[in-house]
Amino acid sequence: MYILILFITLQAVAQTEDEKQMRALYDAALVEGKAYDWLNYLSNQIGGRLSGSVQAQQAVDYTKAKMDSLGLDRVWLQPVMVPKWVRGTPEFAYIETKPGVTTNVPICALGGSVATGGRGVKASVIEVQSIEELKTLGIEKISGKIVFFNRPMDPALVNTFEAYSGAVDQRGRGAAEAGKYEALGVIVRSMNLRQDDYPHAGGMNYGDIPDAEKVPAAAISTNGADLLSTTLKLNPDTQFFFKLNCKQLADVESFNVIGEIKGSTHPDEIMVVGGHLDSWDLGDGSHDDGAGCVQSMEVLRILKKTGYKPKRTIRAVLFMNEENGLRGGKKYAEVATTKNENHVFGLESDSGGFTPRGFSFDASEENLKQAQSWAKLFEPYNIHMFVKGYAGADINPLKNDKIVLAGLRPDSQRYFDHHHAENDTFEHVNRRELELGAASMASLVYLFDKYGIISSKE
Ligand SMILES: [Zn+2]
């Protein structure tokens, strides 16, 4: 009986400690947070950070200097070779309904696309809803035309990332597939749930197609896509013109930026919190993923600020080249394996700097249950999602059957208004939403550090 009472009392005391520690973390982020100021610099002084660009290198230097100033145990750069694709001079496109009767439409080259050549590409258009439809149409209907992929993201899906997954194959593989049917080019409806005039960039891949057979690919704004579709219905002979000036150059050296607080009792157990430092080039990459980078740095800062001494080693990793290669994430995992490092936990923020709702876990049932048992602690901060799911692209290469991988899950409704587009800019990030995300991440790191990762039974 006494033992039971003692146990309950200890639990109550422990609970209070966790509540206090989390309150201190949220205070440190909300009252005197640094994440927003860092993001301001990254976005407004540096700007879009495409892999291999001057801006990407400036971002490496800036975040390294900021981490150096936090009094961490170690800060270093991890070299990684990255692809260097450049957009060149701005793209241009128009719809031509009759010879000389044209309407300009906003497009942008997809990352990794070949250029159109100096004269551009002009051809009639065949609209499709899916890659599968190409097979039905066959080479005789597609050859010599521009293929227009126009399947929208499904607006019925509440999780907009699911809608994105359901449509993004058109952007990723559309050009490679259409090329097999002798298409001259590919135009893809932007991955955007909103009607507007911004074309959204993003990666695409030709697979192992020889250079001579690669067809150029561009995204068109959602308004542009609707206009093209309507025009084609009225006049199937409509022509489309587009010109891309992009180029794939040789790989260049870049870096992952890493800062670390050494663990006091289990220094060999490593917990990673991260985002990716590179971004697309049309906007300044504030949501994708400047937000995740500054939040990860803020996690280390506020853990230190509150005087918390982690048992395990906690690292903030700013990964390079998530967008068009994932080389940083792969390199980090490769080095971890070479050095025989024991990574027990990874948390990524790469879903925008919006109001955090919770976390998704790519982990064992036991660890998911453990995280769910902390739901009460998060209640005062309106964090309620503790679900099974994908964690993040950069930490995914660390995956094994023991590690706990988690992803911050902010509200996703506005994310694809900005994703990879010119309007992914600093003014669309709300200071408090960003800070709440950082504090929530720090709280999860704190809890997993304190209570440990449950290793599975076998
Ligand atoms: Zn991202």
Side-chain angles (χ1 to χ4, degrees), residues 78-83 250-255 320-321 327-328 331:
Q78 181 175 69
V80 54
M81 294 302 288
V82 298
D251 289 2
V252 295
E253 185 180 63
S254 188
F255 303 93
M320 185 51 73
N321 186 228
R327 301 273 186 89
K331 173 59 83 178

Side-chain angles (χ1 to χ4, degrees), residues 257-275:
V257 184
I258 309 173
E260 169 181 289
I261 303 174
K262 260 255 162 315
S264 56
T265 56
H266 306 293
D268 295 341
E269 293 186 15
I270 299 166
M271 299 177 67
V272 164
V273 53

Side-chain angles (χ1 to χ4, degrees), residues 161 271-278 287-296 299 315-323 326 328-330 332 345-352 356 358-362 389-399 403-410 415 437-438 440-442 444-445:
F161 284 89
M271 299 177 67
V272 164
V273 53
H276 64 86
L277 196 49
D278 66 304
H287 275 298
D288 188 13
D289 184 28
C293 290
V294 298
Q295 285 173 327
S296 299
V299 167
R315 278 184 192 165
V317 183
L318 315 184
F319 296 93
M320 185 51 73
N321 186 228
E322 189 273 342
E323 296 292 2
L326 204 67
K330 288 178 183 162
Y332 182 82
F345 176 92
L347 168 60
E348 182 155 353
S349 166
D350 184 18
S351 304
F359 304 93
S360 52
F361 293 89
D362 190 351
Y390 186 67
D394 297 289
I395 57 172
N396 203 48
L398 290 169
K399 192 173 159 130
I403 195 168
V404 171
L405 295 179
L408 181 71
R409 293 281 285 267
Y415 186 59
S440 305
M441 291 162 73
L444 189 73
V445 168

Side-chain angles (χ1 to χ4, degrees), residues 21 105 109 121 175 180-181 189 206 223 227 257 293 295 301 303 314 435:
Q21 176 58 31
V105 280
V121 171
K180 294 179 188 164
Y181 298 90
R189 182 188 187 88
Y206 289 110
N223 280 343
L227 179 67
V257 184
C293 290
Q295 285 173 327
R301 191 190 71 83
L303 282 171
I314 300 181
E435 290 166 347

Side-chain angles (χ1 to χ4, degrees), residues 188-210:
V188 184
R189 182 188 187 88
S190 284
M191 298 296 126
N192 179 3
L193 283 153
R194 186 170 78 164
Q195 289 306 129
D196 64 30
D197 295 318
Y198 296 110
H200 290 229
M204 53 86 65
N205 201 311
Y206 289 110
D208 44 19
I209 297 177

